[in-house]
Amino acid sequence: MEDQRVHFRHILLFCFRKGAKATDAQREICGVYGDSAISADTRQRWFARFRSGDVNVSDAARSVNGNVKMQG
């Protein structure tokens, strides 16, 4: 499952770099992988991240109750 999420992120980044809108990128992914492949929240979060200059598609460490935990 994690590999597929990273795969979708690469597709989102590709679409972003092509100048596509986030909704179009989601439509492309869901057209191939099914309607539940990627959510609107996910596509918006990743496109916002790309717009900020962060194009790393890997999961980042995040803090949970003060402890750093690797996501995934």
Side-chain angles (χ1 to χ4, degrees), residues 9-51:
R9 293 173 198 160
H10 282 280
I11 296 169
L12 288 170
L13 179 59
F14 174 77
C15 292
F16 174 80
R17 287 187 169 164
K18 279 183 29 177
K21 294 180 182 178
T23 53
D24 296 332
Q26 181 188 14
R27 191 175 300 121
E28 289 287 327
I29 291 170
C30 291
V32 173
Y33 295 97
D35 290 338
S36 63
I38 189 170
S39 70
D41 289 340
T42 298
R43 69 146 201 258
Q44 286 303 119
R45 186 174 62 250
W46 282 98
F47 263 65
R49 188 171 170 171
F50 299 152
R51 280 192 295 274

